[in-house]
Amino acid sequence: MYRSSKYSKRRVFMKKRGILFLVVVLLTCMTMSVFAGAQMETKTGEGETYVIKMYSKNFTGLGSSTPVGKIIKEKFNIDFEFEKFTGDWQEKASLWLAAGDYPEIVYIEQNLDLLRKYINAGVLIALDPLAEQYAPNFLSFYKEALPYMRLNAQDKKIYYWPTGSPEEKEMFQTPFEMVVRMDLLKALGYPKIPENEKEWLNFFIEAKKKVPTVDGRPTVGFSMPLAEPWAVALLPAMSRTGRYQYLGGGKMVMLDCDNNTVDFILKNEYSKEAMKFFNGLYRAGLFDKESFTDKGAQTTEKFNTALILGSIYIKWLSEASNPTLNESGKADMQYIGLPFRLESMNENNDARYNRVMLVRNFDHYAITKKAKHPERIMELINWICTDEGQALLGWGIEGIHYTMEGNKKVPTPEFYNGFNNDPDYLYKQGLGIFGFLTLSTKLDDEGQSAVVELDPTVRFDSYNDEVKEVYAKYGWENYLSPWDKYETKGIDVTEWGAALTLNASSPEAKMMTKIADLHNDATIKLIMAKDDAEFDKIWQDSVNELKALGGEQVIQLIRNQYAEIVAGLK
């Protein structure tokens, strides 16, 4: 389903405004940062305060200790107590279900298979009757998404909400492509931005020569947190910047956007070319060997000290380090996003496709049967689904965090001071920790994001002189200017995302598990291949093994499920 005309108009609107936008904290990171857990307790006093314990990567303490959380408590007498969590969320949710020790609100990250296990186990509360009685705004907010949400349950009831939906942020944020230290551009004399993988390899070779150290330590040419399973799965999918898009979900599948069909990444020639680029970095001594054991925390530490010259896709990590670099006197070493294209894409005049989704199959929240007051939770969500509730979660409190000028929100000087100088300011204010209650990522009719830190104008106003100097040198009017030469389209991948879910007890699901292991193993071997001959052998051996594992059977099932979903929604 194509929506290119709609999104092209938005892009033109943004370009006319001349806005610049560099995302520091993605909504993805925000909604991923809060994880429901533990038990709920009731406090007595003036009325009954409903305290829900949550897990968070970025915030600890009572939600009511923040201005936003205080408003929520005052309105609904509900508070959230956040505890630190640093483990694997999918593993934790699986253990909860196996032990029958699940919390009152459960978070399931990305894994629709696990979500269905929770539903089939009968431990989640069907939201239909609750929403009809207590949360009609919830039904309106998710009106277009409800048919897809019902697909995950055999009884076709609603058992969860996919926060961050509908998702359109890929259409107006810096693309998930190359990230580089911007001082490299100056060191190399502000060269032409590389237009293909071969030029990018030469760029990093020359950049390493120009910037061999930082603070007396050797710089790292290129780094990725490959100890994270998602990073290993994703790397070959960096062929996603042309006609193909990665569908995610841990299914190792690419969507051919021009022909609306799917196949495995290991059969994609663009993916092979992308992996040759990473192999070239490795053979040139530029690919950080610690990448194979680094997780996100280690990569973040390297970004925070400007050790990394470049990376790909993980802009939420690189951009989150920019305030730290600014504070430590390394403002000229901040990271910016730039296009990554393959030579074949340019030769074939491939358009770039950005995903949009009615249902963002990543952050799923559900109320379990252990909830003492599910109706009160739904009453809160009902209000969150109003314009007033969305404004509170996304922008904060009027008069403190923003003022209104006509129909537009304008951040206050107090907000900008905190936002520009305190990396934890948003969390301290309660912005970015309550997105699990439901928060959209759409642009409104004024061109403003539902989330203040994703808003283009806010990003422009928060840029420092060093960033503006780079943009001025290249004549870039806004953050999308480096991509202006490439045709960009939006494609709705909601149906394909739903079609990726396989019955956990099916033969195809077991095949897919083995295929995922093959994919991840091949990724590491391809990066480390000693020469072209070994690389080609690893690739062909992997393609052959994919076939032997039943790859054709699995991909045909996914295609069939897609056809059934489309037919069923008509």
Side-chain angles (χ1 to χ4, degrees), residues 70-122:
K70 183 179 180 182
I71 296 292
I72 291 174
K73 183 180 179 182
E74 289 175 351
K75 282 184 172 292
F76 295 92
N77 212 5
I78 294 178
D79 206 349
F80 296 91
E81 185 174 358
F82 296 91
E83 296 182 0
K84 192 74 172 180
F85 182 80
T86 58
D88 184 310
W89 290 346
Q90 291 191 27
E91 179 181 357
K92 184 69 172 177
S94 296
L95 292 174
W96 276 339
L97 181 60
D101 191 28
Y102 41 84
E104 300 185 63
I105 299 177
V106 65
Y107 168 59
I108 300 172
E109 179 194 55
Q110 187 170 357
N111 194 328
L112 284 175
D113 297 332
L114 182 56
L115 174 64
R116 289 185 175 184
K117 286 182 180 179
Y118 264 87
I119 294 173
N120 294 336

Short mmCIF file of all heavy atoms in Angstrom, two decimals, residues 70-122:
data_model
loop_
_atom_site.label_atom_id
_atom_site.label_comp_id
_atom_site.label_asym_id
_atom_site.label_seq_id
_atom_site.Cartn_x
_atom_site.Cartn_y
_atom_site.Cartn_z
N LYS A 70 3.23 13.92 38.16
CA LYS A 70 2.42 14.56 39.20
C LYS A 70 1.03 14.88 38.68
O LYS A 70 0.03 14.69 39.39
CB LYS A 70 3.11 15.83 39.69
CG LYS A 70 2.39 16.52 40.84
CD LYS A 70 3.15 17.76 41.30
CE LYS A 70 2.41 18.45 42.45
NZ LYS A 70 3.12 19.69 42.88
N ILE A 71 0.95 15.36 37.44
CA ILE A 71 -0.36 15.64 36.83
C ILE A 71 -1.19 14.36 36.72
O ILE A 71 -2.39 14.34 37.02
CB ILE A 71 -0.18 16.28 35.44
CG1 ILE A 71 0.50 17.64 35.55
CG2 ILE A 71 -1.52 16.40 34.73
CD1 ILE A 71 -0.32 18.70 36.22
N ILE A 72 -0.55 13.28 36.29
CA ILE A 72 -1.25 12.00 36.15
C ILE A 72 -1.81 11.55 37.50
O ILE A 72 -2.96 11.12 37.61
CB ILE A 72 -0.32 10.93 35.57
CG1 ILE A 72 0.00 11.26 34.10
CG2 ILE A 72 -0.93 9.53 35.68
CD1 ILE A 72 1.04 10.35 33.47
N LYS A 73 -1.00 11.67 38.54
CA LYS A 73 -1.45 11.26 39.87
C LYS A 73 -2.59 12.14 40.36
O LYS A 73 -3.58 11.65 40.93
CB LYS A 73 -0.30 11.30 40.86
CG LYS A 73 -0.70 10.81 42.25
CD LYS A 73 0.46 10.86 43.23
CE LYS A 73 0.00 10.39 44.62
NZ LYS A 73 1.09 10.48 45.62
N GLU A 74 -2.48 13.44 40.13
CA GLU A 74 -3.52 14.36 40.58
C GLU A 74 -4.86 14.08 39.89
O GLU A 74 -5.92 14.17 40.50
CB GLU A 74 -3.10 15.80 40.33
CG GLU A 74 -1.99 16.29 41.26
CD GLU A 74 -1.49 17.68 40.89
OE1 GLU A 74 -1.90 18.19 39.82
OE2 GLU A 74 -0.71 18.25 41.67
N LYS A 75 -4.80 13.72 38.62
CA LYS A 75 -6.02 13.49 37.86
C LYS A 75 -6.65 12.13 38.15
O LYS A 75 -7.88 12.00 38.18
CB LYS A 75 -5.74 13.62 36.35
CG LYS A 75 -5.64 15.05 35.85
CD LYS A 75 -5.45 15.06 34.34
CE LYS A 75 -5.54 16.48 33.79
NZ LYS A 75 -6.91 17.05 33.89
N PHE A 76 -5.81 11.10 38.34
CA PHE A 76 -6.34 9.74 38.41
C PHE A 76 -5.94 8.98 39.67
O PHE A 76 -6.34 7.83 39.86
CB PHE A 76 -5.89 8.94 37.17
CG PHE A 76 -6.46 9.48 35.90
CD1 PHE A 76 -5.77 10.41 35.15
CD2 PHE A 76 -7.72 9.07 35.46
CE1 PHE A 76 -6.30 10.92 33.98
CE2 PHE A 76 -8.25 9.57 34.29
CZ PHE A 76 -7.55 10.51 33.55
N ASN A 77 -5.15 9.62 40.53
CA ASN A 77 -4.68 8.96 41.75
C ASN A 77 -3.97 7.65 41.42
O ASN A 77 -4.10 6.66 42.14
CB ASN A 77 -5.82 8.72 42.73
CG ASN A 77 -5.35 8.80 44.17
OD1 ASN A 77 -4.19 9.11 44.44
ND2 ASN A 77 -6.24 8.50 45.10
N ILE A 78 -3.27 7.65 40.31
CA ILE A 78 -2.44 6.52 39.89
C ILE A 78 -1.00 6.99 39.83
O ILE A 78 -0.70 8.05 39.28
CB ILE A 78 -2.87 5.98 38.52
CG1 ILE A 78 -4.28 5.37 38.59
CG2 ILE A 78 -1.88 4.93 38.01
CD1 ILE A 78 -4.80 4.87 37.26
N ASP A 79 -0.12 6.20 40.40
CA ASP A 79 1.30 6.53 40.36
C ASP A 79 2.06 5.33 39.81
O ASP A 79 1.57 4.19 39.84
CB ASP A 79 1.82 6.87 41.76
CG ASP A 79 3.03 7.79 41.72
OD1 ASP A 79 3.60 7.99 40.63
OD2 ASP A 79 3.41 8.31 42.79
N PHE A 80 3.25 5.58 39.30
CA PHE A 80 4.09 4.52 38.76
C PHE A 80 5.44 4.56 39.47
O PHE A 80 6.07 5.62 39.55
CB PHE A 80 4.28 4.68 37.25
CG PHE A 80 3.00 4.56 36.48
CD1 PHE A 80 2.23 5.68 36.20
CD2 PHE A 80 2.56 3.32 36.05
CE1 PHE A 80 1.04 5.57 35.50
CE2 PHE A 80 1.36 3.19 35.36
CZ PHE A 80 0.61 4.32 35.08
N GLU A 81 5.85 3.42 39.98
CA GLU A 81 7.13 3.32 40.67
C GLU A 81 8.12 2.59 39.76
O GLU A 81 7.95 1.40 39.47
CB GLU A 81 6.99 2.58 41.99
CG GLU A 81 8.27 2.56 42.81
CD GLU A 81 8.08 1.95 44.18
OE1 GLU A 81 6.93 1.58 44.52
OE2 GLU A 81 9.08 1.83 44.91
N PHE A 82 9.13 3.31 39.30
CA PHE A 82 10.07 2.77 38.32
C PHE A 82 11.30 2.19 39.00
O PHE A 82 11.91 2.83 39.86
CB PHE A 82 10.49 3.87 37.34
CG PHE A 82 9.36 4.40 36.51
CD1 PHE A 82 8.62 5.50 36.94
CD2 PHE A 82 9.02 3.81 35.30
CE1 PHE A 82 7.57 6.00 36.18
CE2 PHE A 82 7.98 4.30 34.54
CZ PHE A 82 7.25 5.39 34.98
N GLU A 83 11.65 0.98 38.57
CA GLU A 83 12.86 0.33 39.06
C GLU A 83 13.81 0.08 37.89
O GLU A 83 13.38 -0.07 36.75
CB GLU A 83 12.52 -1.01 39.73
CG GLU A 83 11.67 -0.85 40.99
CD GLU A 83 11.40 -2.18 41.66
OE1 GLU A 83 11.88 -3.22 41.14
OE2 GLU A 83 10.70 -2.18 42.69
N LYS A 84 15.09 0.02 38.19
CA LYS A 84 16.11 -0.15 37.15
C LYS A 84 16.07 -1.56 36.59
O LYS A 84 15.94 -2.54 37.32
CB LYS A 84 17.50 0.11 37.74
CG LYS A 84 18.60 0.24 36.70
CD LYS A 84 18.53 1.57 35.98
CE LYS A 84 19.73 1.80 35.09
NZ LYS A 84 19.66 3.09 34.39
N PHE A 85 16.19 -1.65 35.26
CA PHE A 85 16.26 -2.96 34.61
C PHE A 85 17.31 -2.89 33.51
O PHE A 85 17.31 -1.98 32.69
CB PHE A 85 14.91 -3.36 34.01
CG PHE A 85 14.93 -4.73 33.38
CD1 PHE A 85 14.85 -5.86 34.17
CD2 PHE A 85 15.07 -4.88 32.01
CE1 PHE A 85 14.88 -7.13 33.60
CE2 PHE A 85 15.11 -6.14 31.43
CZ PHE A 85 15.01 -7.26 32.23
N THR A 86 18.21 -3.87 33.48
CA THR A 86 19.29 -3.86 32.49
C THR A 86 19.39 -5.17 31.71
O THR A 86 20.32 -5.35 30.94
CB THR A 86 20.65 -3.59 33.17
OG1 THR A 86 20.87 -4.60 34.17
CG2 THR A 86 20.68 -2.22 33.81
N GLY A 87 18.45 -6.08 31.89
CA GLY A 87 18.55 -7.38 31.24
C GLY A 87 17.88 -7.45 29.89
O GLY A 87 17.62 -6.44 29.23
N ASP A 88 17.58 -8.67 29.47
CA ASP A 88 16.91 -8.95 28.20
C ASP A 88 15.41 -8.98 28.46
O ASP A 88 14.90 -9.87 29.16
CB ASP A 88 17.38 -10.29 27.65
CG ASP A 88 16.80 -10.60 26.28
OD1 ASP A 88 15.57 -10.49 26.11
OD2 ASP A 88 17.58 -10.97 25.37
N TRP A 89 14.68 -8.05 27.89
CA TRP A 89 13.25 -7.92 28.20
C TRP A 89 12.44 -9.09 27.67
O TRP A 89 11.51 -9.55 28.32
CB TRP A 89 12.73 -6.60 27.64
CG TRP A 89 13.26 -5.42 28.40
CD1 TRP A 89 13.88 -5.45 29.61
CD2 TRP A 89 13.21 -4.07 28.00
NE1 TRP A 89 14.23 -4.18 29.99
CE2 TRP A 89 13.83 -3.30 29.02
CE3 TRP A 89 12.72 -3.40 26.88
CZ2 TRP A 89 13.95 -1.92 28.95
CZ3 TRP A 89 12.84 -2.02 26.83
CH2 TRP A 89 13.45 -1.30 27.85
N GLN A 90 12.76 -9.58 26.49
CA GLN A 90 12.02 -10.72 25.96
C GLN A 90 12.23 -11.95 26.84
O GLN A 90 11.30 -12.71 27.10
CB GLN A 90 12.45 -11.01 24.52
CG GLN A 90 12.01 -9.94 23.53
CD GLN A 90 12.22 -10.37 22.09
OE1 GLN A 90 12.21 -11.55 21.78
NE2 GLN A 90 12.41 -9.41 21.21
N GLU A 91 13.46 -12.13 27.29
CA GLU A 91 13.75 -13.27 28.16
C GLU A 91 12.99 -13.15 29.48
O GLU A 91 12.43 -14.13 29.98
CB GLU A 91 15.25 -13.34 28.42
CG GLU A 91 15.67 -14.49 29.34
CD GLU A 91 17.16 -14.52 29.60
OE1 GLU A 91 17.88 -13.69 29.03
OE2 GLU A 91 17.59 -15.38 30.40
N LYS A 92 12.95 -11.93 30.02
CA LYS A 92 12.25 -11.71 31.28
C LYS A 92 10.76 -12.00 31.13
O LYS A 92 10.15 -12.68 31.98
CB LYS A 92 12.44 -10.25 31.72
CG LYS A 92 11.84 -9.92 33.08
CD LYS A 92 12.59 -10.60 34.21
CE LYS A 92 12.12 -10.11 35.57
NZ LYS A 92 12.81 -10.81 36.67
N ALA A 93 10.16 -11.51 30.04
CA ALA A 93 8.73 -11.74 29.82
C ALA A 93 8.44 -13.23 29.63
O ALA A 93 7.40 -13.73 30.08
CB ALA A 93 8.26 -10.95 28.61
N SER A 94 9.35 -13.95 28.98
CA SER A 94 9.18 -15.39 28.79
C SER A 94 9.23 -16.12 30.13
O SER A 94 8.43 -17.04 30.38
CB SER A 94 10.27 -15.93 27.86
OG SER A 94 10.17 -15.37 26.57
N LEU A 95 10.16 -15.73 30.98
CA LEU A 95 10.28 -16.37 32.30
C LEU A 95 9.06 -16.08 33.16
O LEU A 95 8.59 -16.96 33.89
CB LEU A 95 11.55 -15.87 33.00
CG LEU A 95 12.88 -16.33 32.38
CD1 LEU A 95 14.06 -15.65 33.07
CD2 LEU A 95 13.02 -17.84 32.48
N TRP A 96 8.54 -14.87 33.08
CA TRP A 96 7.33 -14.54 33.83
C TRP A 96 6.19 -15.48 33.44
O TRP A 96 5.48 -16.01 34.30
CB TRP A 96 6.90 -13.11 33.53
CG TRP A 96 7.58 -12.07 34.36
CD1 TRP A 96 8.21 -12.23 35.56
CD2 TRP A 96 7.69 -10.69 34.04
NE1 TRP A 96 8.71 -11.04 36.00
CE2 TRP A 96 8.40 -10.07 35.10
CE3 TRP A 96 7.27 -9.91 32.97
CZ2 TRP A 96 8.69 -8.71 35.11
CZ3 TRP A 96 7.55 -8.55 32.99
CH2 TRP A 96 8.25 -7.96 34.04
N LEU A 97 6.01 -15.66 32.14
CA LEU A 97 4.91 -16.49 31.67
C LEU A 97 5.11 -17.94 32.10
O LEU A 97 4.17 -18.60 32.56
CB LEU A 97 4.79 -16.40 30.15
CG LEU A 97 3.65 -17.20 29.52
CD1 LEU A 97 2.30 -16.74 30.06
CD2 LEU A 97 3.69 -17.08 28.00
N ALA A 98 6.32 -18.44 31.95
CA ALA A 98 6.61 -19.83 32.31
C ALA A 98 6.38 -20.09 33.79
O ALA A 98 5.88 -21.16 34.18
CB ALA A 98 8.05 -20.18 31.93
N ALA A 99 6.70 -19.10 34.62
CA ALA A 99 6.57 -19.27 36.07
C ALA A 99 5.19 -18.85 36.59
O ALA A 99 4.88 -19.05 37.77
CB ALA A 99 7.65 -18.46 36.78
N GLY A 100 4.37 -18.27 35.72
CA GLY A 100 3.08 -17.77 36.16
C GLY A 100 3.21 -16.58 37.09
O GLY A 100 2.30 -16.26 37.86
N ASP A 101 4.35 -15.89 37.01
CA ASP A 101 4.65 -14.78 37.91
C ASP A 101 4.68 -13.46 37.15
O ASP A 101 5.48 -12.58 37.43
CB ASP A 101 6.00 -15.03 38.60
CG ASP A 101 6.25 -14.06 39.73
OD1 ASP A 101 5.27 -13.59 40.33
OD2 ASP A 101 7.43 -13.76 40.01
N TYR A 102 3.81 -13.34 36.18
CA TYR A 102 3.76 -12.14 35.35
C TYR A 102 3.17 -10.97 36.14
O TYR A 102 2.39 -11.15 37.08
CB TYR A 102 2.94 -12.41 34.09
CG TYR A 102 1.69 -13.21 34.35
CD1 TYR A 102 0.52 -12.60 34.78
CD2 TYR A 102 1.70 -14.60 34.20
CE1 TYR A 102 -0.61 -13.34 35.04
CE2 TYR A 102 0.57 -15.35 34.47
CZ TYR A 102 -0.58 -14.72 34.89
OH TYR A 102 -1.70 -15.45 35.16
N PRO A 103 3.52 -9.75 35.75
CA PRO A 103 3.03 -8.56 36.45
C PRO A 103 1.62 -8.17 36.01
O PRO A 103 1.01 -8.83 35.17
CB PRO A 103 4.04 -7.48 36.05
CG PRO A 103 4.46 -7.90 34.69
CD PRO A 103 4.50 -9.41 34.71
N GLU A 104 1.15 -7.09 36.55
CA GLU A 104 -0.22 -6.64 36.24
C GLU A 104 -0.31 -5.95 34.90
O GLU A 104 -1.35 -6.00 34.23
CB GLU A 104 -0.72 -5.75 37.36
CG GLU A 104 -0.74 -6.49 38.69
CD GLU A 104 -1.36 -5.69 39.81
OE1 GLU A 104 -2.55 -5.37 39.72
OE2 GLU A 104 -0.63 -5.39 40.77
N ILE A 105 0.75 -5.28 34.50
CA ILE A 105 0.87 -4.76 33.14
C ILE A 105 2.16 -5.36 32.59
O ILE A 105 3.22 -5.21 33.19
CB ILE A 105 0.96 -3.23 33.09
CG1 ILE A 105 -0.30 -2.60 33.67
CG2 ILE A 105 1.17 -2.76 31.66
CD1 ILE A 105 -0.25 -1.07 33.70
N VAL A 106 2.08 -6.04 31.47
CA VAL A 106 3.25 -6.72 30.93
C VAL A 106 3.68 -6.05 29.63
O VAL A 106 2.85 -5.63 28.83
CB VAL A 106 2.98 -8.22 30.69
CG1 VAL A 106 1.93 -8.44 29.62
CG2 VAL A 106 4.26 -8.96 30.35
N TYR A 107 4.99 -5.93 29.48
CA TYR A 107 5.57 -5.38 28.26
C TYR A 107 6.21 -6.50 27.47
O TYR A 107 6.98 -7.30 28.00
CB TYR A 107 6.63 -4.33 28.61
CG TYR A 107 7.49 -3.91 27.43
CD1 TYR A 107 6.92 -3.36 26.29
CD2 TYR A 107 8.87 -4.06 27.47
CE1 TYR A 107 7.71 -2.97 25.22
CE2 TYR A 107 9.67 -3.67 26.40
CZ TYR A 107 9.08 -3.12 25.28
OH TYR A 107 9.86 -2.75 24.22
N ILE A 108 5.88 -6.58 26.18
CA ILE A 108 6.47 -7.59 25.30
C ILE A 108 7.12 -6.86 24.14
O ILE A 108 6.44 -6.25 23.31
CB ILE A 108 5.40 -8.58 24.80
CG1 ILE A 108 4.77 -9.30 25.99
CG2 ILE A 108 6.02 -9.59 23.84
CD1 ILE A 108 3.59 -10.16 25.64
N GLU A 109 8.43 -6.94 24.09
CA GLU A 109 9.20 -6.22 23.09
C GLU A 109 9.24 -6.99 21.78
O GLU A 109 9.79 -8.08 21.71
CB GLU A 109 10.62 -5.99 23.61
CG GLU A 109 11.51 -5.26 22.62
CD GLU A 109 12.97 -5.35 23.03
OE1 GLU A 109 13.47 -6.47 23.21
OE2 GLU A 109 13.61 -4.29 23.16
N GLN A 110 8.66 -6.41 20.75
CA GLN A 110 8.81 -6.84 19.35
C GLN A 110 8.25 -8.23 19.05
O GLN A 110 7.66 -8.44 18.00
CB GLN A 110 10.30 -6.80 18.96
CG GLN A 110 10.53 -7.06 17.47
CD GLN A 110 11.96 -6.79 17.05
OE1 GLN A 110 12.78 -6.36 17.84
NE2 GLN A 110 12.27 -7.03 15.81
N ASN A 111 8.37 -9.17 19.95
CA ASN A 111 8.11 -10.58 19.67
C ASN A 111 6.61 -10.88 19.64
O ASN A 111 5.98 -11.12 20.67
CB ASN A 111 8.80 -11.43 20.73
CG ASN A 111 8.88 -12.88 20.33
OD1 ASN A 111 8.00 -13.40 19.65
ND2 ASN A 111 9.94 -13.55 20.77
N LEU A 112 6.03 -10.90 18.44
CA LEU A 112 4.61 -11.22 18.32
C LEU A 112 4.33 -12.67 18.68
O LEU A 112 3.23 -13.01 19.15
CB LEU A 112 4.11 -10.93 16.90
CG LEU A 112 3.89 -9.46 16.55
CD1 LEU A 112 3.53 -9.32 15.08
CD2 LEU A 112 2.80 -8.85 17.42
N ASP A 113 5.30 -13.55 18.47
CA ASP A 113 5.13 -14.94 18.86
C ASP A 113 4.91 -15.04 20.37
O ASP A 113 4.05 -15.78 20.85
CB ASP A 113 6.35 -15.77 18.46
CG ASP A 113 6.55 -15.82 16.95
OD1 ASP A 113 5.55 -15.69 16.23
OD2 ASP A 113 7.69 -15.97 16.51
N LEU A 114 5.70 -14.30 21.13
CA LEU A 114 5.57 -14.31 22.58
C LEU A 114 4.25 -13.66 23.01
O LEU A 114 3.59 -14.12 23.94
CB LEU A 114 6.75 -13.58 23.23
CG LEU A 114 6.78 -13.54 24.76
CD1 LEU A 114 6.72 -14.95 25.34
CD2 LEU A 114 8.03 -12.80 25.25
N LEU A 115 3.86 -12.61 22.31
CA LEU A 115 2.58 -11.97 22.60
C LEU A 115 1.44 -12.98 22.45
O LEU A 115 0.54 -13.07 23.29
CB LEU A 115 2.36 -10.78 21.67
CG LEU A 115 0.99 -10.10 21.75
CD1 LEU A 115 0.76 -9.48 23.12
CD2 LEU A 115 0.85 -9.04 20.66
N ARG A 116 1.49 -13.75 21.38
CA ARG A 116 0.45 -14.76 21.16
C ARG A 116 0.48 -15.84 22.22
O ARG A 116 -0.57 -16.39 22.60
CB ARG A 116 0.60 -15.35 19.76
CG ARG A 116 0.23 -14.38 18.65
CD ARG A 116 0.28 -15.02 17.28
NE ARG A 116 -0.19 -14.11 16.25
CZ ARG A 116 -0.32 -14.43 14.97
NH1 ARG A 116 -0.03 -15.65 14.56
NH2 ARG A 116 -0.75 -13.54 14.09
N LYS A 117 1.65 -16.17 22.72
CA LYS A 117 1.73 -17.15 23.80
C LYS A 117 1.01 -16.64 25.04
O LYS A 117 0.30 -17.39 25.72
CB LYS A 117 3.20 -17.46 24.13
CG LYS A 117 3.91 -18.32 23.09
CD LYS A 117 5.34 -18.61 23.52
CE LYS A 117 6.06 -19.47 22.48
NZ LYS A 117 7.46 -19.75 22.88
N TYR A 118 1.19 -15.37 25.34
CA TYR A 118 0.49 -14.77 26.48
C TYR A 118 -1.02 -14.82 26.26
O TYR A 118 -1.79 -15.15 27.17
CB TYR A 118 0.95 -13.32 26.68
CG TYR A 118 2.05 -13.15 27.71
CD1 TYR A 118 3.38 -13.28 27.35
CD2 TYR A 118 1.76 -12.85 29.03
CE1 TYR A 118 4.41 -13.12 28.27
CE2 TYR A 118 2.76 -12.68 29.97
CZ TYR A 118 4.09 -12.82 29.59
OH TYR A 118 5.08 -12.67 30.52
N ILE A 119 -1.44 -14.48 25.04
CA ILE A 119 -2.87 -14.48 24.74
C ILE A 119 -3.43 -15.90 24.85
O ILE A 119 -4.46 -16.13 25.50
CB ILE A 119 -3.12 -13.91 23.34
CG1 ILE A 119 -2.76 -12.42 23.30
CG2 ILE A 119 -4.59 -14.10 22.94
CD1 ILE A 119 -2.80 -11.81 21.91
N ASN A 120 -2.75 -16.86 24.24
CA ASN A 120 -3.24 -18.24 24.24
C ASN A 120 -3.21 -18.87 25.62
O ASN A 120 -3.97 -19.81 25.90
CB ASN A 120 -2.42 -19.08 23.25
CG ASN A 120 -2.62 -18.64 21.81
OD1 ASN A 120 -3.64 -18.04 21.47
ND2 ASN A 120 -1.65 -18.93 20.96
N ALA A 121 -2.32 -18.38 26.48
CA ALA A 121 -2.26 -18.90 27.85
C ALA A 121 -3.41 -18.41 28.70
O ALA A 121 -3.62 -18.89 29.82
CB ALA A 121 -0.93 -18.52 28.49
N GLY A 122 -4.16 -17.44 28.19
CA GLY A 122 -5.33 -16.94 28.91
C GLY A 122 -5.01 -16.06 30.09
O GLY A 122 -5.82 -15.93 31.02
#
